[in-house]
Amino acid sequence: MANIPTTAAAIADAVRAKEMSATEVVEHHLGVIAQRDGDINAFNLVTADIARDAAKRVDAAIASGADVGVLAGVPIAIKDNMCTRGVPTTCSSNMLAGWKPPYDATVITTLNAAGAVMVGKTNLDEFAMGSSTENSAFGPTRNPLDTSRVPGGSSGGSAAAVAAGFAPVSLGSDTGGSIRQPAALCGVVGVKPTYGLVSRYGLVAFASSLDQIGPFATTVDDAALITEVIAGHDPKDSTSIPRPVPSLRAAAREGVQGMRIGRVTDLPEGAEPEVAARLDEAFAALEKAGARIVDVTLPSLSYALTAYYLIAPAEASSNLARYDGVRYGLRASAADTNAMYGATRAAGFGDEVKRRIMLGTYALSAGYYDAYYGKALKVRRLIADDFERAYAQADVVLMPTSPMVAFPFGDKVDDPMSMYLCDIYTIPTNLAGHPAMSVPFGTGAHGLPVGVQVLAPALGEVAMFRVGGALEAAGGAR
Amino acid sequence: MSELLPEGWELICGLEVHVELATKTKLFSGSPNRFGDEPNTNIDPVTLGLPGALPVLNEQAVELAMRIGLALNCTIQPCTFHRKNYFYPDMPKAYQISQYDQPLNIDGHLDLPGGVRIGVERAHLEEDTGKSTHIGGATGRIHGSEFSLIDFNRAGVPLVEIVSRPDIRTSEQARQYVSELRAILLAIGASDAKMEEGSMRCDANVSVHRVGEPFGTRCEIKNVNSIRALGRAIEYEARRQYDIIESGGTIRQETRHWDDAEGRTHTLRTKEDADDYRYFLEPDLVPLVPGDEWIARVRTNLPMLPAARRSRLATATGADVQGEAVSVIVERGQDDYVLSVGEAGGDVARALVYVQQAFAEEPPTPRVPSKDIAALTVMERDSKVTSTQAKTVLAEIVTNGGGDPAAIAAAKGFEAIDTSEVEGFVDQAIAADPDAWQKFCNGEQKAMGALVGMVMKASKGKADGKVVTAILNARRG
């Protein structure tokens, strides 16, 4: 068997150039999965047959000279909260165990058309609620770099799948950091695009105004490639942005000469010293590459976490109300309809999901709306205003992705507040609807990877990828 | 109303009318909006609220809702959608997408045929639920049933909820409001507005108070399925509230169910049991901002409304603008046709009667050429045929989709007979039954029927009944 390249871009080039077949590529990755996923548990489901069929179709198309798309033969892992026609989509919840959607999410249709080969559905914190993938009903995913530690979450399975070489790229979803934080903890690149850049149609909703699909990859170039493919207007998603997608791969190679990089002088504290040190080194590296460092302030950032934990649960309490046992998924038996609702939801949801449903229901209740949800919306506005002022001075802003490196299992799962603090630097972006990416930049405690986060204004993906590319080129201290 | 509540008391009523819009597809998905199909065939991931499905607003629904707003003299404004959260098996997402504090249409009014103006607070867009059928159990309701069947064909059908101000003071005004609203909806093509099929549904908020004092506590009456039931339900409810107050009790704010068979309302749920709907802005949709150009285009394309059409028809025919003939013809949309009979040289007053009587099954633009009807009205006016004969000719014309009335009358042997000839038949009738004549002279109107009958028989139906009556009355003196 040919030597299989590690990046999606190189695989697609090789397959299109007939240097290797899509079948060879997928067999390689299925082999790696078979060998190691027993330890990692990145996948809820490995779709080997579907992957082989897809690879065969790509090979047949290439043989017939047909256009096979820019991801020809590229294996990709899909977070198990994106609908795949006829393939179980569980959100790692007992509520949806075995549920097979009758339709594909728009991103799945797009990836299929581009020639990508789905190898499986990856594990997550139940309904994407968590920062460690420990909240999965089907057991946690382990960090491939240290299996005694979490991969982060909620897209821990997708991050681990790329870090473990199960697929060169994967898709995750990011509501408060669920792509960027596990990317940082697993030492891979993770991108949350601008809200509305990638269609949410078929993404099982957690918090609709915050959710956004994005890629994991081992390189900034691959992350740009996948973002380019999945971005674009979708008439099935009313919040999708109707405008063409710029070339992000080119941006990633462009360099940062003359760019203004924002350093937040009033950043909430809490990052481990090594994480803070890597961030300083990142600024230095960008300055050396020709960028200018400017100080900015984001005074409302300290309220972001609180606002997020009202807005996201409020939306979740409504989004998850449909799991009532009437039409699909789990149904517990009970004497009457109301009792059936209660029994079904008690049995189907895990503790964290229940906690957020309770929180969100309370925040929206008559008499409490103004004090909680209403106030959180005001904070959201203030944060957006803060960013607007910052982006008048800077093209991008740099922050840590996660305050800490990958932590051991059990460290935080029984203390929701400490778990919620994992997302202190990632949440503001979601509240503002902006893009951000995490790029591996050296290591921290225990030699574990550290991610640096590049934040940009809405539709500022070009600036973001320029800086991401430069950080990757500079490399971080290990 | 005077007998319903004693002097000094007043009924206060506001109506919430839901109408299903006559769109091709649902409010947020491409499934057909069609009544009467096999259950659960007009469905899709959005309709069923499947995980990951997202709503996309139907432009035709917005346009029809704007038409309703403009027809009700509303202001159209930039608006948003909210989620109304509650659990019910036929509510697929466990929330209804509706409009809350920023509805599409606000501040309009509807003028009743008698001239009373009823304010329209708002007319907003929302989606319908599925339809539950509860099997087993005595009441046909979910409680106590053995099992329930749900048809999601109706789920996601576009609705406009039209909320009146509490300006209605009598059950008759309430009936007029709904029937005028229905006429408007039909005229503008927004809905087929069939209360019996549920494409038009009406809830009534009713309270009573002593004139000059603040409004009383209101109750909302649901399950009112016809205009007649609406009047009965309001009257029952007003009387019930009055009786409670008069006997020293207080009215509890609650939702009550109208039982048409029993003719009474009973408690459905009290305010304390009411759901907390936890309204919040629907994050899956963006604000709807209809541009001035769009609003202007909808306004321009609005047809003439029933009130204007009734007054046009009444003026042309000399009929009562609030009379049944005028309102029936306008409701059928046949007023243009009646007027066209006038343009064809006919007598529009007679045409109004003909069309009302013989064109009930005909479309708004009947097949019969208006010149044929015009010719017949002239024949009757000029006493070439009797009114009875005209009816027969008319029936044949309608059946055949047209025809020359003169030829039909001739073929049937219909011809004018002289008044002098009729006088002769009258003489014969009086001679044949002097007893009847005597009774008639003594003021027994019944006896006239016998005399007229004899004249008609003798003349083989060619005598004009009106002429016979006139002769008999003249003879009696």
Side-chain angles (χ1 to χ4, degrees), chain A residues 420-438:
Chain A
Y420 295 171
L421 282 167
C422 291
D423 298 328
I424 188 160
Y425 300 127
T426 48
I427 276 171
T429 307
N430 299 81
L431 291 173
H434 294 169
M437 70 192 291
S438 180

Side-chain angles (χ1 to χ4, degrees), chain A residues 181-259:
Chain A
Q181 184 256 13
L185 269 51
C186 290
V188 297
V189 178
V191 175
K192 183 207 100 72
T194 300
Y195 183 79
L197 195 74
V198 179
S199 170
R200 292 185 295 117
Y201 189 77
L203 169 67
V204 179
F206 160 17
S208 312
S209 76
L210 302 161
D211 297 341
Q212 184 60 204
I213 292 172
F216 290 93
T218 59
T219 65
V220 172
D221 179 57
D222 269 3
L225 171 64
I226 301 299
T227 307
E228 283 179 11
V229 170
I230 62 176
H233 183 240
D234 178 10
K236 290 179 182 167
D237 175 357
S238 307
T239 62
S240 159
I241 299 169
R243 70 178 246 176
V245 183
S247 172
L248 303 175
R249 297 183 73 187
R253 291 188 300 269
E254 201 179 324
V256 291
Q257 187 65 44
M259 286 187 78

Side-chain angles (χ1 to χ4, degrees), chain A residues 83 99 102-103 200-204 208 235-239 318-319 321-323 327-328 337 341 361 364-366 369 373, chain B residues 45 48-56 83 85 87-89 92-95 142 152 276 278-280 283-286:
Chain A
C83 288
W99 179 63
Y103 74 106
R200 292 185 295 117
Y201 189 77
L203 169 67
V204 179
S208 312
K236 290 179 182 167
D237 175 357
S238 307
T239 62
S318 174
N319 284 328
R322 70 189 63 194
Y323 306 108
R327 295 166 309 284
Y328 48 78
T337 312
Y341 290 154
T361 303
L364 287 174
S365 294
Y369 180 100
Y373 185 72
Chain B
L48 292 179
L50 294 188
L54 295 173
V56 177
R83 290 188 186 176
N85 295 283
F87 286 94
Y88 200 78
K93 302 182 295 298
Y95 58 81
I142 191 167
F152 288 105
D276 177 357
R278 290 171 285 118
Y279 279 102
F280 73 103
D284 289 330
L285 291 169
V286 293

Side-chain angles (χ1 to χ4, degrees), chain A residues 137-199:
Chain A
F138 311 134
T141 296
R142 281 171 283 278
N143 192 318
L145 306 178
D146 177 347
T147 54
S148 71
R149 291 171 185 269
V150 303
S154 68
S155 312
S158 284
V162 170
F166 296 158
V169 286
S170 63
L171 289 190
S173 65
D174 189 316
T175 306
S178 280
I179 292 173
R180 291 160 288 160
Q181 184 256 13
L185 269 51
C186 290
V188 297
V189 178
V191 175
K192 183 207 100 72
T194 300
Y195 183 79
L197 195 74
V198 179
S199 170

Side-chain angles (χ1 to χ4, degrees), chain B residues 126-426:
Chain B
E126 62 185 29
E127 57 179 341
D128 210 342
T129 61
K131 198 165 168 39
S132 298
T133 310
H134 305 296
I135 310 293
T139 59
R141 307 200 359 225
I142 191 167
H143 185 75
S145 65
E146 283 171 45
F147 60 92
S148 300
L149 300 172
I150 310 174
D151 177 8
F152 288 105
N153 284 355
R154 199 181 70 177
V157 163
L159 293 176
V160 165
E161 180 177 345
I162 301 154
V163 183
S164 87
R165 294 196 185 280
D167 293 345
I168 293 165
R169 295 290 175 269
T170 66
S171 59
E172 175 55 23
Q173 284 179 2
R175 281 195 294 260
Q176 282 181 13
Y177 173 87
V178 173
S179 87
E180 184 65 8
L181 180 58
R182 188 169 176 274
I184 291 171
L185 294 168
L186 292 174
I188 63 177
S191 174
D192 64 6
K194 292 179 180 165
M195 284 188 88
E196 62 283 7
E197 283 183 9
S199 61
M200 181 168 182
R201 307 194 277 272
C202 184
D203 302 332
N205 282 296
V206 175
S207 68
V208 297
H209 74 142
R210 283 191 189 83
V211 178
E213 290 182 6
F215 285 180
T217 302
R218 68 173 191 271
C219 291
E220 183 179 6
I221 319 297
K222 288 191 176 288
N223 194 45
V224 179
N225 296 323
S226 67
I227 290 177
R228 184 170 168 270
L230 174 67
R232 292 176 67 209
I234 290 170
E235 286 173 14
Y236 172 86
E237 181 60 20
R239 187 71 208 185
R240 184 189 73 87
Q241 293 183 12
Y242 168 77
D243 289 345
I244 289 174
I245 295 167
E246 273 302 272
S247 59
T250 51
I251 304 301
R252 198 166 50 157
Q253 188 177 336
E254 59 187 9
T255 303
R256 299 181 65 84
H257 183 90
W258 169 250
D259 186 321
D260 205 46
E262 286 182 37
R264 60 180 294 259
T265 63
H266 50 80
T267 302
L268 201 58
R269 56 179 176 268
T270 62
K271 196 188 175 193
E272 288 70 37
D273 312 327
D275 281 311
D276 177 357
Y277 293 126
R278 290 171 285 118
Y279 279 102
F280 73 103
L281 203 62
E282 164 59 285
D284 289 330
L285 291 169
V286 293
L288 167 64
V289 185
D292 291 342
E293 219 171 281
W294 191 12
I295 297 171
R297 196 171 66 240
V298 175
R299 194 188 297 276
T300 306
N301 293 337
L302 217 55
M304 189 187 273
L305 296 178
R309 288 167 62 169
R310 281 195 305 266
S311 106
R312 181 182 63 159
L313 185 63
T315 306
T317 58
D320 178 7
V321 70
Q322 289 186 59
E324 198 193 338
V326 167
S327 68
V328 163
I329 294 299
V330 167
E331 192 170 312
R332 288 191 210 147
Q334 293 170 337
D335 45 329
D336 279 340
Y337 182 75
V338 170
L339 297 175
S340 76
V341 172
E343 283 156 24
D347 171 355
V348 280
R350 281 195 166 80
L352 180 71
V353 177
Y354 286 6
V355 172
Q356 184 195 359
Q357 288 172 349
F359 284 66
E361 305 303 321
E362 292 292 301
T365 307
R367 296 163 301 154
V368 179
S370 29
K371 68 169 171 52
D372 294 346
I373 302 301
L376 184 59
T377 60
V378 171
M379 284 171 67
E380 190 194 341
R381 184 191 63 200
D382 297 347
S383 299
K384 298 277 169 45
V385 287
T386 66
S387 62
T388 313
Q389 290 169 342
K391 245 184 218 173
T392 309
V393 174
L394 179 61
E396 184 154 334
I397 289 177
V398 173
T399 305
N400 297 336
D404 175 7
I408 295 168
K412 289 192 177 300
F414 292 165
E415 54 198 321
I417 53 170
D418 255 24
T419 306
S420 60
E421 209 174 328
V422 178
E423 299 263 9
F425 289 128
V426 171

